[in-house]
Amino acid sequence: MRPSRRTPVLAAFATFVFAWLLTRTSWLEAALKWAFPTEVSWLHPRADLVSLTVEHLAIVAISSGLTVLVGVPLGIWVTRSSGRDFRQLVAASVDLGQTFPPVAVLALAMPVLGFGFKPTIVALFLYGMFPVVSSTIAGLDSVPTSTLEAAKGMGMSPMQVLFRVELPLASRIIMSGIRTSVVINIGTATIGATIGTGGLGVPIIGGLATRNMAYVVEGALPAAVLAVLIDVLLGQVEHGFAVPLQEADSA
Amino acid sequence: MIHLDGVTKRYGDTVAVDDLTLDVAEGEVCVLIGPSGCGKTTTLRMINRLITPTSGRIMINGQDASELKAEELRRSLGYAIQSVGLFPHLDVAANIAVVPRLLGWDKPRLRGRARELLELVGLEPEQYMGKYPRQLSGGEAQRIGVARALAADPPVLLMDEPFGAVDPLNRGRLQGEFARIQRDLHKTVVFVTHDIDEAIRLADRIAIMRDGRLVQYDTPETILDNPVDHFVRDFVGSDRALKRLVRVPVRDVMDTAPPVARRSAGAKEMLAEVGRTRFVYLVDEQGRLTGWLDRAQLKGGCTVEDALSDADPAQVAVRPDASLKEALSRMLGLGFRSIAVVESDGRLVGQVTLGSVEGAMTESDEHQGARPAEHMAEYSAEDTSDDSVLESIASDDQGDCT
Ligand SMILES: Nc1ncnc2c1ncn2[C@@H]1O[C@H](COP(=O)(O)OP(=O)(O)OP(=O)(O)O)[C@@H](O)[C@H]1O
Ligand SMILES: [Mg+2]
């Protein structure tokens, strides 16, 4: 989506409406009753949607935070001369991290880390790594060699080249990778409920277990809206990184 | 100042630079020239340590370059790279100020310096300071690249085809500007170009390279007069006599007392001046060239007004920094036998005649003792007797006033 000047206002408004709707569970129940008249119960017994959403966001924030904290430096490292030899290996590993189903990661991590929070964080952390690392590499690769040569030729130290030239120029592409990663994690985080992590996966998994479609929708709907909202908000941040270049284009 | 000793750079099987030994004295301009791929850029990049020589040694100011701290070395060598490489996320002012910022200058000083350098490279500061590289033409970007290299006033400049993308008119102007700065500041410069005229004009010494090797390293005069082999001879071209004129700036040979009259003066006074010569230059109160008056046009009952021509100094005059070759080609192009010399503010400061061009050619011939100078001297004597001024070769528009 191409952000316009009105987008931030619209996004803030949509966020507010979404938060308010979460507190109106009776409305949701009425809607679900209408949609699934054959069920006997329409809201999951543990369904305080506000606290489920907060839990969900906490899971995503922690796992994505870790992904960025590890993924961006990893991407930077493999584009430096010291880490260049590991570039293929790292690219292949994060690729594998994404092809490996998160459910399988949960199953494998559980014996070690037990039930609850930790295995879910590990699974999401690995799963979200690919877009972050690959966009960091792509962003740094996109910096023109003549610009790098000039930066070095002017007498910038490697750190100065990185922070004053490469990262500012790569920031937009890196940010788009982070955004993709976060949005994927919002959806994927629902599987955490299978091992008791909480979040919006609770009604979904509960609904699947009891064949109650109303429960499934009760969790899936807010999760989907959340994903769209976060996508738009992070798009705004991404857009903010490119301000000087954008101005240059339009002038 | 810069001393390359048996420097070689190999990339696998290709030898980019082959056993190059070169001395650039302090305050001298060394121009590297040669066919594409002969190792010019590689040489510059080895001097500022962007790449390491395969073998050989580079000394800068008596110190082995490989023992200096790379970043500090590079900050003392202004570098204008061939592909320009401006920083796309920084505006023009910030691009120019990159090295001064690394050196910790304060903000007002940075902006002042950017402004100063934009003026120097002929770009209007107010208009360009806030632009981003994407908004610049290739030639403008290249001039910003040159300004950036000069920003911290480094003692040594490495310039890789700095004016390659600039149009001929501005290029001539920038060359003149460069020559002028160099007269005052005496930088040590290694300058790469493909343009032999540019090399002859700016160089104290020219290094002609071929396939990574140094073919000849001499003053422009020696290169013109005594090319070591066919390659150099061909490279320099057949019009060597003409190329000598590239070395002579207009200010060195111009007649500083051209016939001149105030535009505001009465017709009588203007005519009095015309009495001496066929043409007089007309200037305004500030001494700026505004036109000329042609005596030939006064015949047949024409008025003074009919004999006046308006002048656009950009069209019919040259700058004192221009080369005699430029002055000559302008004269030939306009069909004039002399041309006015004006400063950048339009003030008339002299004139150059065909006679003085011939004189300069004769002088350099005498200098090398290659040709007897008599018949050339004759020409110029004849020419100076002939009113000496602005005589239009194509003068078929004479007297057609009614
Ligand atoms: N990084 C590199 N790897 C392999 N070969 C290289 C490399 N850099 C330069 N060369 C080769 O070295 C030779 C000299 O290159 P260089 O860039 O110094 O030429 P140049 O004289 O500057 O040419 P031009 O006038 O076209 O700029 C060329 O044949 C080029 O192909
Ligand atoms: Mg080159």
Side-chain angles (χ1 to χ4, degrees), chain A residues 56 59-60 120 124 184-193 197-198 201:
Chain A
H56 199 89
I59 295 164
V60 171
T120 309
L124 294 179
I184 290 175
N185 269 3
I186 290 173
T188 316
T190 51
I191 62 157
T197 313

PDB file of all heavy atoms in Angstrom, chain A residues 56 59-60 120 124 184-193 197-198 201:
ATOM      1  N   HIS A  56      -1.228 -11.958  23.369  1.00  0.00           N
ATOM      2  CA  HIS A  56      -0.796 -12.241  22.004  1.00  0.00           C
ATOM      3  C   HIS A  56       0.280 -11.237  21.566  1.00  0.00           C
ATOM      4  O   HIS A  56       1.328 -11.613  21.035  1.00  0.00           O
ATOM      5  CB  HIS A  56      -2.007 -12.155  21.066  1.00  0.00           C
ATOM      6  CG  HIS A  56      -1.807 -12.851  19.767  1.00  0.00           C
ATOM      7  ND1 HIS A  56      -2.101 -14.176  19.581  1.00  0.00           N
ATOM      8  CD2 HIS A  56      -1.325 -12.407  18.575  1.00  0.00           C
ATOM      9  CE1 HIS A  56      -1.809 -14.525  18.349  1.00  0.00           C
ATOM     10  NE2 HIS A  56      -1.333 -13.465  17.703  1.00  0.00           N
ATOM     11  N   ILE A  59       3.573 -11.883  23.229  1.00  0.00           N
ATOM     12  CA  ILE A  59       4.322 -13.003  22.617  1.00  0.00           C
ATOM     13  C   ILE A  59       5.018 -12.534  21.331  1.00  0.00           C
ATOM     14  O   ILE A  59       6.206 -12.788  21.115  1.00  0.00           O
ATOM     15  CB  ILE A  59       3.363 -14.172  22.278  1.00  0.00           C
ATOM     16  CG1 ILE A  59       2.773 -14.741  23.566  1.00  0.00           C
ATOM     17  CG2 ILE A  59       4.076 -15.250  21.486  1.00  0.00           C
ATOM     18  CD1 ILE A  59       1.551 -15.612  23.328  1.00  0.00           C
ATOM     19  N   VAL A  60       4.238 -11.806  20.504  1.00  0.00           N
ATOM     20  CA  VAL A  60       4.799 -11.337  19.233  1.00  0.00           C
ATOM     21  C   VAL A  60       5.933 -10.337  19.486  1.00  0.00           C
ATOM     22  O   VAL A  60       6.993 -10.413  18.852  1.00  0.00           O
ATOM     23  CB  VAL A  60       3.699 -10.695  18.355  1.00  0.00           C
ATOM     24  CG1 VAL A  60       4.306 -10.004  17.148  1.00  0.00           C
ATOM     25  CG2 VAL A  60       2.704 -11.745  17.912  1.00  0.00           C
ATOM     26  N   THR A 120       7.180 -21.528  22.541  1.00  0.00           N
ATOM     27  CA  THR A 120       6.519 -20.700  21.524  1.00  0.00           C
ATOM     28  C   THR A 120       7.435 -19.567  21.070  1.00  0.00           C
ATOM     29  O   THR A 120       7.577 -19.293  19.873  1.00  0.00           O
ATOM     30  CB  THR A 120       5.221 -20.109  22.096  1.00  0.00           C
ATOM     31  OG1 THR A 120       4.467 -21.161  22.665  1.00  0.00           O
ATOM     32  CG2 THR A 120       4.416 -19.404  21.019  1.00  0.00           C
ATOM     33  N   LEU A 124       8.718 -19.042  17.242  1.00  0.00           N
ATOM     34  CA  LEU A 124       8.433 -17.816  16.485  1.00  0.00           C
ATOM     35  C   LEU A 124       9.722 -17.078  16.130  1.00  0.00           C
ATOM     36  O   LEU A 124       9.866 -16.517  15.043  1.00  0.00           O
ATOM     37  CB  LEU A 124       7.518 -16.889  17.295  1.00  0.00           C
ATOM     38  CG  LEU A 124       6.099 -17.403  17.547  1.00  0.00           C
ATOM     39  CD1 LEU A 124       5.320 -16.407  18.374  1.00  0.00           C
ATOM     40  CD2 LEU A 124       5.388 -17.670  16.226  1.00  0.00           C
ATOM     41  N   ILE A 184       3.885 -12.051   9.937  1.00  0.00           N
ATOM     42  CA  ILE A 184       3.840 -13.520   9.916  1.00  0.00           C
ATOM     43  C   ILE A 184       3.693 -14.058  11.345  1.00  0.00           C
ATOM     44  O   ILE A 184       2.905 -14.964  11.618  1.00  0.00           O
ATOM     45  CB  ILE A 184       5.127 -14.088   9.266  1.00  0.00           C
ATOM     46  CG1 ILE A 184       5.146 -13.794   7.769  1.00  0.00           C
ATOM     47  CG2 ILE A 184       5.226 -15.590   9.512  1.00  0.00           C
ATOM     48  CD1 ILE A 184       6.442 -14.215   7.100  1.00  0.00           C
ATOM     49  N   ASN A 185       4.444 -13.452  12.266  1.00  0.00           N
ATOM     50  CA  ASN A 185       4.413 -13.928  13.644  1.00  0.00           C
ATOM     51  C   ASN A 185       3.057 -13.732  14.306  1.00  0.00           C
ATOM     52  O   ASN A 185       2.663 -14.519  15.161  1.00  0.00           O
ATOM     53  CB  ASN A 185       5.506 -13.240  14.468  1.00  0.00           C
ATOM     54  CG  ASN A 185       6.786 -14.051  14.448  1.00  0.00           C
ATOM     55  OD1 ASN A 185       6.845 -15.073  13.775  1.00  0.00           O
ATOM     56  ND2 ASN A 185       7.783 -13.605  15.194  1.00  0.00           N
ATOM     57  N   ILE A 186       2.338 -12.692  13.958  1.00  0.00           N
ATOM     58  CA  ILE A 186       1.020 -12.465  14.560  1.00  0.00           C
ATOM     59  C   ILE A 186       0.102 -13.641  14.240  1.00  0.00           C
ATOM     60  O   ILE A 186      -0.616 -14.143  15.101  1.00  0.00           O
ATOM     61  CB  ILE A 186       0.414 -11.141  14.054  1.00  0.00           C
ATOM     62  CG1 ILE A 186       1.195  -9.972  14.637  1.00  0.00           C
ATOM     63  CG2 ILE A 186      -1.058 -11.041  14.471  1.00  0.00           C
ATOM     64  CD1 ILE A 186       0.784  -8.632  14.076  1.00  0.00           C
ATOM     65  N   GLY A 187       0.173 -14.114  12.995  1.00  0.00           N
ATOM     66  CA  GLY A 187      -0.637 -15.268  12.621  1.00  0.00           C
ATOM     67  C   GLY A 187      -0.127 -16.549  13.259  1.00  0.00           C
ATOM     68  O   GLY A 187      -0.891 -17.345  13.804  1.00  0.00           O
ATOM     69  N   THR A 188       1.193 -16.710  13.189  1.00  0.00           N
ATOM     70  CA  THR A 188       1.780 -17.969  13.651  1.00  0.00           C
ATOM     71  C   THR A 188       1.685 -18.128  15.164  1.00  0.00           C
ATOM     72  O   THR A 188       1.614 -19.252  15.680  1.00  0.00           O
ATOM     73  CB  THR A 188       3.255 -18.050  13.195  1.00  0.00           C
ATOM     74  OG1 THR A 188       3.339 -17.631  11.835  1.00  0.00           O
ATOM     75  CG2 THR A 188       3.784 -19.463  13.311  1.00  0.00           C
ATOM     76  N   ALA A 189       1.661 -17.021  15.879  1.00  0.00           N
ATOM     77  CA  ALA A 189       1.662 -17.078  17.342  1.00  0.00           C
ATOM     78  C   ALA A 189       0.450 -17.818  17.899  1.00  0.00           C
ATOM     79  O   ALA A 189       0.467 -18.273  19.039  1.00  0.00           O
ATOM     80  CB  ALA A 189       1.724 -15.661  17.920  1.00  0.00           C
ATOM     81  N   THR A 190      -0.596 -17.964  17.074  1.00  0.00           N
ATOM     82  CA  THR A 190      -1.791 -18.651  17.569  1.00  0.00           C
ATOM     83  C   THR A 190      -1.516 -20.113  17.916  1.00  0.00           C
ATOM     84  O   THR A 190      -2.192 -20.691  18.766  1.00  0.00           O
ATOM     85  CB  THR A 190      -2.914 -18.611  16.521  1.00  0.00           C
ATOM     86  OG1 THR A 190      -2.401 -19.063  15.268  1.00  0.00           O
ATOM     87  CG2 THR A 190      -3.463 -17.200  16.348  1.00  0.00           C
ATOM     88  N   ILE A 191      -0.508 -20.715  17.282  1.00  0.00           N
ATOM     89  CA  ILE A 191      -0.245 -22.133  17.575  1.00  0.00           C
ATOM     90  C   ILE A 191       0.292 -22.329  18.981  1.00  0.00           C
ATOM     91  O   ILE A 191       0.290 -23.440  19.509  1.00  0.00           O
ATOM     92  CB  ILE A 191       0.745 -22.763  16.574  1.00  0.00           C
ATOM     93  CG1 ILE A 191       2.103 -22.044  16.655  1.00  0.00           C
ATOM     94  CG2 ILE A 191       0.177 -22.749  15.162  1.00  0.00           C
ATOM     95  CD1 ILE A 191       3.233 -22.910  16.151  1.00  0.00           C
ATOM     96  N   GLY A 192       0.776 -21.250  19.591  1.00  0.00           N
ATOM     97  CA  GLY A 192       1.294 -21.356  20.952  1.00  0.00           C
ATOM     98  C   GLY A 192       0.252 -21.913  21.909  1.00  0.00           C
ATOM     99  O   GLY A 192       0.586 -22.558  22.905  1.00  0.00           O
ATOM    100  N   ALA A 193      -1.017 -21.689  21.573  1.00  0.00           N
ATOM    101  CA  ALA A 193      -2.087 -22.150  22.457  1.00  0.00           C
ATOM    102  C   ALA A 193      -2.094 -23.665  22.606  1.00  0.00           C
ATOM    103  O   ALA A 193      -2.573 -24.188  23.611  1.00  0.00           O
ATOM    104  CB  ALA A 193      -3.424 -21.658  21.920  1.00  0.00           C
ATOM    105  N   THR A 197       0.321 -21.485  25.796  1.00  0.00           N
ATOM    106  CA  THR A 197       0.996 -20.202  25.889  1.00  0.00           C
ATOM    107  C   THR A 197       0.011 -19.046  26.055  1.00  0.00           C
ATOM    108  O   THR A 197       0.373 -17.987  26.530  1.00  0.00           O
ATOM    109  CB  THR A 197       1.843 -19.965  24.623  1.00  0.00           C
ATOM    110  OG1 THR A 197       2.588 -21.126  24.351  1.00  0.00           O
ATOM    111  CG2 THR A 197       2.780 -18.789  24.807  1.00  0.00           C
ATOM    112  N   GLY A 198      -1.200 -19.237  25.633  1.00  0.00           N
ATOM    113  CA  GLY A 198      -2.169 -18.133  25.706  1.00  0.00           C
ATOM    114  C   GLY A 198      -2.210 -17.358  24.409  1.00  0.00           C
ATOM    115  O   GLY A 198      -1.697 -17.807  23.378  1.00  0.00           O
ATOM    116  N   GLY A 201      -4.735 -17.536  20.123  1.00  0.00           N
ATOM    117  CA  GLY A 201      -4.834 -18.931  19.697  1.00  0.00           C
ATOM    118  C   GLY A 201      -5.729 -19.752  20.609  1.00  0.00           C
ATOM    119  O   GLY A 201      -6.230 -20.809  20.200  1.00  0.00           O
TER     120      GLY A 201
END
